[in-house]
Amino acid sequence: MTRGCRGSWDSLHLRGACVAAWQDSVCLGTWKTSNTRPRDKIIVGSFTGYLRIFNPHSVKSGGGPQAEDLLLEVHLRDPVLQVEVGKFVSGTEMLHLAVLHSRKLCVYSVSGTLGNVEHGNQYQIKLMYEHHLQRTACNMTYGPFGGIKGRDLICIQSMDGMLMVFEQESYAFGRFLPGSLLPGPLAYSPRTDSFITVSSCRQVESYKYQVLAFATDADKKQEMEQQKLGSGKRLVVDWTLNIGEQALDICIVPLNQSASSVFVLGERNFFCLKDNGQIRFMKKLDCSPSCFLPYCSVSEGTINTLIGNHNHMLHIYQDVTLKWATQLPHVPVAVRVGCLHDLKGVIVTLSDDGHLQCSYLGTDPSLFQAPKVESRELNYDELDVELKELQKIIKDVKLQGVWSLTEQEDDLKVSAAVSSTLDSVSQATNVETGADSVPSITVKVTLQNRVVLQKVKLSVYVQPPLQLTCDQFTFDFTVPDMTSIVSFSVYLKGDYTPSELEGNAVVSYSRPTGIPRVIQCKFRLPLKLICLPGQPSKTASHKLTIDTNKSPVSLLGLFPDFANPSDDDQVNVMGFHLLGGSRVTLLASRTSQRYRIQSEQFEDLWLITNELILRLQEHFEKQGTKDFTCSFSGCVPLQEYFELIDHHFELRINGEKLEELLSERAVQFRAIQRRLLTRFRDKTPAPLQHLDTLLDGTYKQVIALADAVEENQDRLLQSFAGLKSATHLLILLIRLWQRLSADQTAILEAAFLPLQEDTQELGWEETVDAAIAHLLKTCLSKSSKEQALNLSSQLSIPKDTSRLKKHITLLCDRLAKGGRLCVSTDAAAPQAMVMPGGCTPIPESDLEERSLDDSTELFTNHKHLMTEPPMPEVSALQGVLE
């Protein structure tokens, strides 16, 4: 009995598409075009407000969804409760799309523009009209109400049991269903011209459209009570049937022109009723159903029904006989049958987590069509000549590219210039720093085009908490050789230090041939934007020493913008006060060619250390010295780095717990609201039993938890910026320590800094751990056994940071023993035997026998980041290191 459900069609995953089975969130509509066979498209609406239209293609076994499967994706902002396709616009019989929101009904037209190739086709939707609802909607149905020809009317059921009828662009009337407490599924029967629903009394009710239309208009529920006293025409039910359970969905299936059947899916049974409410048959279900779809069978007088249940099964009944059972990879909440690409009987299912699958039953269908056999004889000599010409064209294109390099560069030139002085009037607004005044600096970006370009977009990015006065610009170069200059200011908004002072200007445009292009231009902001001159500090918790091969340079000459005129005698000591951080002191030795940087915060050492090295390199380049180098021979500060990792990870765990607690309180709050609503709507008032007090307390908890989540997110953002600063500093020290090349440093940066933003779904810890584990498995591996280790393909938040810290320690250990970073496993020293993974053999030593915990102490010295012999302490900051 159980057979396979083949899946040679696409299986798509739509995040956030959460629907209920009775809301018809999967609607198969047919777009009819002239001289072509009609094909079904799949329309999906989600509670997150996304409307998507799919046209899936068949793929080979193991293949994934294709880009051209998604025809249209639009964010409608409001949650989508239901979508339907019908003749909803007056003056035309073309199909239009009706989308029901909680407080709005929108009708759209869908149109397409053909492209040169299939994936070049473009689809758009246009709003034809909309109705703003006075009551919260639950569901809707449509049809030719009253026997009207050539158009469809729409009936919407509200949450308080009112039926609102819309005659396309106009509102017709509204009627309250008698005795309605909670809304149920709603369907329209064209043959009997009646609406069929299931009330909260667990009985199927049928109301004639004519009775609804001629009943007294009711805008308030009190008017329904007046009708019972004899004023106006009463709304009388046509027929009722007690089914004894709540219904999940209703569907009307026409058998022929003289009869139709009403199918009702209950919680434990499904029923087939006649037009007059009599039971044709019923079937008791073994599993809890989730959705169903009845349709006419090939056998005359019978009806097939697809029923999905919560056991991941799809059952197909012919009347009450089970004909087919198949397993699904998910619990379906909506199911439809359509014709996709001339393949009839494709079953479309949608799960509550947004998994959309198109499948079919039975054996693989034959989709191959044999081409027509050409009777003409082939001239192989002409084919050889044509093949050589094509190969020559391909070779020429490979050599010179699609367009020449000069043409590629001359389309648009972008340059950025940072002002040499700070703004005379600061442009900083809404700053959160504790400083009295926050400076700003002006950046000018110049764009010069060679050809006509339209819709050129410029986006500017800086590291938080740096802020831009404007970060988006649009240009239209209508004539060649135009020059456009834009200016904006940058300032420090937050009360912490950014991880980088480098900005990025990105320009996107399309060439006249239609080829999209992107150009980047980087600029560097001055240190004085986030730092002020400060008093040097004699003692500090964190210190590090940079060695050079040249005589020390006067710090007043290196940092003239931070020089204090009153301290001319202190030429070898300089203090810096970071606006969003602590104080940093820089000392230069007079005799030992070394520089010391010290601060109370470990992450604040990064910007000053990097600025020192850049200015030293610039100083010696101006003097013509080419052999200037910096080195680091101290202990790698892993212990301080690990403390920042633990603090960042603790904030992530805390944020996850707060979000879970907020979700629980929100569920509790909605449950209390529902209980109170039931009490208030009861005709016989009952005591509240302190539900109002519980509602008020829960509301206060929700607000407090929401504030705590926002505060934790701000702290997490600040912690991530500090962690990035410390990571930059660690990479710099490892580069100076092991004298890494630019390529090796780039590999290290890609491993330690893979993310620009840190989120709960994909965090820094698991990403960096996977990258470092890959390096240890490949280029830094010591044996083939390590290369055989399988890495997890799915990233998830770890339980703790011990594994990450061990991997970082092991990485430094391998580098200390001579290992080198490389992307290709073939890169190694030519004079040595290459080990598997591309790492040269390392002699065994006592260090290899140490445990991983001992290796940690090798690279950290607990807040003293100097090597022996240490630089002498400064007894008094007189500007000279003895």
Side-chain angles (χ1 to χ4, degrees):
M1 180 68 70
T2 301
R3 304 179 185 175
C5 184
R6 303 298 180 95
S8 72
W9 291 80
D10 288 346
S11 179
L12 307 174
H13 193 76
L14 314 175
R15 295 193 179 275
C18 183
V19 297
W22 61 82
Q23 291 175 342
D24 282 349
S25 284
V26 176
C27 178
L28 294 178
T30 302
W31 298 348
K32 296 183 179 180
T33 56
S34 59
N35 299 328
T36 59
R37 298 183 63 182
R39 296 178 179 177
D40 292 333
K41 307 296 186 298
I42 303 173
I43 306 173
V44 180
S46 70
F47 285 165
T48 56
Y50 282 96
L51 179 72
R52 299 179 176 93
I53 300 179
F54 293 94
N55 184 25
H57 299 71
S58 59
V59 295
K60 297 181 180 179
S61 178
Q66 305 174 28
E68 56 267 23
D69 293 344
L70 180 60
L71 300 182
L72 178 66
E73 181 181 66
V74 181
H75 190 204
L76 303 178
R77 297 185 179 180
D78 298 323
V80 178
L81 302 183
Q82 189 173 342
V83 291
E84 296 291 352
V85 176
K87 304 173 184 179
F88 301 131
V89 177
S90 60
T92 177
E93 294 190 8
M94 296 182 63
L95 296 178
H96 289 77
L97 180 64
V99 181
L100 178 64
H101 303 287
S102 58
R103 285 281 183 170
K104 185 168 58 175
L105 171 67
C106 301
V107 175
Y108 299 92
S109 66
V110 184
S111 60
T113 303
L114 294 179
N116 295 329
V117 291
E118 183 179 1
H119 59 267
N121 299 343
Q122 297 181 358
Y123 296 87
Q124 304 89 21
I125 64 170
K126 179 182 178 182
L127 180 64
M128 304 303 294
Y129 63 87
E130 64 180 4
H131 294 289
H132 292 276
L133 308 179
Q134 300 298 323
R135 302 177 183 274
T136 303
C138 175
N139 50 26
M140 68 175 176
T141 185
Y142 73 98
F145 303 164
I148 193 170
K149 301 294 183 180
R151 57 175 179 165
D152 293 324
L153 279 62
I154 299 177
C155 178
I156 300 177
Q157 181 178 205
S158 65
M159 293 298 294
D160 55 357
M162 182 180 183
L163 297 184
M164 297 170 285
V165 178
F166 295 89
E167 293 184 358
Q168 297 181 340
E169 291 87 349
S170 60
Y171 173 74
F173 58 85
R175 303 288 185 267
F176 277 104
L177 297 180
S180 174
L181 179 62
L182 294 175
L186 180 67
Y188 172 73
S189 176
R191 205 190 74 81
T192 60
D193 193 26
S194 58
F195 296 99
I196 301 174
T197 184
V198 178
S199 66
S200 54
C201 300
R202 298 184 176 182
Q203 60 183 10
V204 184
E205 299 177 352
S206 176
Y207 296 91
K208 291 286 187 179
Y209 175 76
Q210 296 296 334
V211 176
L212 289 172
F214 288 103
T216 303
D217 194 10
D219 289 334
K220 297 181 181 179
K221 221 165 186 181
Q222 286 79 3
E223 299 182 10
M224 294 297 299
E225 302 296 332
Q226 296 178 3
Q227 293 181 13
K228 297 180 180 179
L229 302 178
S231 59
K233 296 183 179 180
R234 295 181 57 186
L235 181 59
V236 182
V237 63
D238 186 25
W239 54 262
T240 62
L241 174 67
N242 194 338
I243 60 175
E245 58 182 309
Q246 186 59 43
L248 301 181
D249 201 359
I250 296 178
C251 190
I252 311 296
V253 179
L255 295 177
N256 47 52
Q257 295 182 354
S258 60
S260 61
S261 296
V262 179
F263 281 81
V264 181
L265 179 65
E267 296 174 333
R268 295 175 298 273
N269 307 274
F270 83 93
F271 306 84
C272 179
L273 313 179
K274 296 181 180 179
D275 292 334
N276 57 2
Q278 297 179 356
I279 296 181
R280 289 188 59 216
F281 62 83
M282 64 173 290
K283 173 67 177 178
K284 182 176 178 59
L285 303 176
D286 298 331
C287 303
S288 177
S290 59
C291 62
F292 87 135
L293 175 69
Y295 60 96
C296 293
S297 173
V298 293
S299 301
E300 186 174 355
T302 61
I303 295 178
N304 290 349
T305 307
L306 298 173
I307 300 181
N309 57 44
H310 290 278
N311 290 348
H312 299 261
M313 295 291 293
L314 183 67
H315 292 167
I316 302 180
Y317 292 89
Q318 188 175 39
D319 288 345
V320 295
T321 305
L322 181 63
K323 291 293 185 178
W324 201 294
T326 182
Q327 189 78 27
L328 293 176
H330 55 260
V331 177
V333 296
V335 58
R336 291 293 180 270
V337 176
C339 176
L340 301 177
H341 297 279
D342 299 330
L343 180 61
K344 298 181 180 180
V346 176
I347 300 175
V348 182
T349 57
L350 178 66
S351 68
D352 58 351
D353 61 348
H355 191 94
L356 178 65
Q357 176 173 303
C358 302
S359 51
Y360 55 87
L361 302 175
T363 58
D364 293 333
S366 177
L367 301 178
F368 174 75
Q369 295 181 356
K372 295 181 179 180
V373 180
E374 296 184 0
S375 58
R376 67 182 183 88
E377 296 182 358
L378 299 178
N379 191 332
Y380 292 99
D381 295 335
E382 293 180 358
L383 292 178
D384 290 339
V385 173
E386 184 180 359
L387 179 61
K388 290 180 181 180
E389 293 178 355
L390 293 176
Q391 288 177 343
K392 184 178 182 301
I393 295 174
I394 294 173
K395 184 178 180 180
D396 295 340
V397 171
K398 287 183 178 180
L399 290 177
Q400 54 184 317
V402 179
W403 58 84
S404 62
L405 185 60
T406 56
E407 181 183 358
Q408 176 183 352
E409 293 178 348
D410 293 341
D411 280 348
L412 185 65
K413 292 183 178 180
V414 183
S415 60
V418 182
S419 176
S420 58
T421 59
L422 299 175
D423 296 338
S424 57
V425 178
S426 178
Q427 302 298 319
T429 57
N430 300 326
V431 295
E432 301 171 359
T433 61
D436 296 336
S437 62
V438 176
S440 64
I441 196 167
T442 301
V443 181
K444 293 184 178 180
V445 178
T446 304
L447 291 82
Q448 185 176 4
N449 67 309
R450 186 182 61 87
V451 296
V452 176
L453 300 173
Q454 294 181 354
K455 295 183 180 180
V456 179
K457 295 182 180 180
L458 169 64
S459 303
V460 187
Y461 306 92
V462 290
Q463 293 293 328
L466 292 175
Q467 186 72 22
L468 300 166
T469 54
C470 184
D471 59 354
Q472 299 285 340
F473 303 91
T474 304
F475 310 89
D476 278 329
F477 295 105
T478 56
V479 295
D481 298 328
M482 288 182 60
T483 301
S484 297
I485 301 176
V486 293
S487 302
F488 53 88
S489 295
V490 187
Y491 60 92
L492 185 68
K493 184 177 181 179
D495 58 347
Y496 56 97
T497 306
S499 59
E500 289 183 88
L501 292 177
E502 193 176 70
N504 194 12
V506 180
V507 180
S508 61
Y509 66 94
S510 296
R511 302 185 73 251
T513 57
I515 301 175
R517 291 221 42 224
V518 174
I519 298 179
Q520 296 187 14
C521 177
K522 295 184 178 181
F523 56 91
R524 180 171 179 79
L525 301 171
L527 182 63
K528 58 185 177 182
L529 180 64
I530 61 154
C531 185
L532 299 175
Q535 290 296 326
S537 176
K538 179 181 177 180
T539 59
S541 302
H542 305 277
K543 308 173 184 178
L544 62 88
T545 303
I546 301 297
D547 299 329
T548 63
N549 61 344
K550 299 296 178 183
S551 300
V553 183
S554 172
L555 296 182
L556 294 179
L558 280 179
F559 296 90
D561 44 348
F562 291 92
N564 192 346
S566 62
D567 297 335
D568 292 339
D569 54 337
Q570 297 185 1
V571 296
N572 291 338
V573 176
M574 185 164 290
F576 302 88
H577 180 209
L578 299 175
L579 293 179
S582 60
R583 298 181 182 271
V584 182
T585 302
L586 176 61
L587 304 96
S589 174
R590 177 174 297 177
T591 58
S592 59
Q593 303 176 356
R594 296 155 68 191
Y595 300 85
R596 175 187 295 170
I597 307 96
Q598 56 188 28
S599 175
E600 292 296 332
Q601 300 292 335
F602 173 68
E603 60 270 20
D604 290 340
L605 297 173
W606 153 244
L607 289 178
I608 305 301
T609 305
N610 186 52
E611 191 74 19
L612 171 65
I613 294 177
L614 292 177
R615 297 199 181 195
L616 284 174
Q617 292 174 348
E618 183 180 355
H619 172 76
F620 286 105
E621 284 179 0
K622 290 181 179 179
Q623 293 184 351
T625 305
K626 298 182 180 180
D627 58 345
F628 171 75
T629 58
C630 297
S631 61
F632 177 73
S633 56
C635 299
V636 180
L638 291 186
Q639 189 64 32
E640 292 78 1
Y641 186 58
F642 291 161
E643 291 177 0
L644 292 174
I645 293 177
D646 291 336
H647 177 64
H648 176 263
F649 184 73
E650 181 182 353
L651 290 176
R652 285 188 63 194
I653 296 297
N654 189 33
E656 195 175 45
K657 293 179 180 178
L658 287 174
E659 290 180 359
E660 291 179 358
L661 191 58
L662 178 61
S663 177
E664 293 177 0
R665 290 296 178 269
V667 171
Q668 176 180 323
F669 184 74
R670 290 191 293 269
I672 299 173
Q673 282 183 321
R674 287 194 296 268
R675 190 71 63 86
L676 276 174
L677 180 62
T678 304
R679 295 288 178 92
F680 289 146
R681 296 179 63 178
D682 196 354
K683 295 181 180 180
T684 58
L688 298 180
Q689 297 179 348
H690 302 288
L691 284 177
D692 53 344
T693 305
L694 185 59
L695 181 69
D696 182 65
T698 306
Y699 173 75
K700 293 179 180 179
Q701 290 181 359
V702 169
I703 296 300
L705 286 173
D707 294 338
V709 169
E710 290 183 356
E711 181 182 356
N712 187 81
Q713 289 177 348
D714 294 339
R715 294 176 59 191
L716 184 63
L717 183 63
Q718 180 175 347
S719 175
F720 185 59
L723 180 59
K724 289 175 66 176
S725 298
T727 304
H728 280 294
L729 179 61
L730 182 70
I731 294 173
L732 174 64
L733 296 180
I734 293 177
R735 176 175 67 86
L736 299 178
W737 171 43
Q738 291 295 318
R739 302 183 184 278
L740 300 180
S741 63
D743 293 339
Q744 293 174 342
T745 306
I747 295 175
L748 208 59
E749 290 177 348
F752 277 90
L753 297 168
L755 300 176
Q756 290 294 331
E757 295 183 2
D758 189 38
T759 60
Q760 290 289 353
E761 293 78 11
L762 183 62
W764 182 87
E765 285 80 6
E766 56 266 29
T767 310
V768 173
D769 184 44
I772 296 178
H774 176 74
L775 292 178
L776 295 175
K777 179 179 175 290
T778 54
C779 60
L780 294 180
S781 63
K782 296 193 303 179
S783 62
S784 58
K785 182 179 179 181
E786 290 186 358
Q787 293 184 358
L789 295 176
N790 292 325
L791 301 178
S792 176
S793 60
Q794 185 175 3
L795 297 181
S796 59
I797 184 171
K799 296 181 180 179
D800 51 41
T801 58
S802 59
R803 184 173 182 268
L804 171 62
K805 291 188 287 189
K806 288 182 179 180
H807 281 169
I808 295 176
T809 306
L810 188 57
L811 174 71
C812 296
D813 187 20
R814 298 282 173 86
L815 291 176
K817 294 179 181 179
R820 285 296 175 262
L821 299 169
C822 60
V823 177
S824 174
T825 58
D826 298 332
Q831 67 273 15
M833 181 181 64
V834 179
M835 294 180 59
C839 183
T840 57
I842 303 172
E844 294 294 333
S845 64
D846 297 337
L847 192 60
E848 192 70 24
E849 304 296 331
R850 298 182 184 180
S851 64
L852 211 52
D853 296 334
D854 297 335
S855 299
T856 307
E857 299 181 358
L858 173 65
F859 303 107
T860 173
N861 196 12
H862 300 287
K863 299 187 181 181
H864 285 280
L865 313 182
M866 301 181 299
T867 184
E868 295 297 337
M871 181 180 293
E873 292 290 341
V874 181
S875 59
L877 294 177
Q878 301 298 329
V880 179
L881 285 173
E882 299 297 339

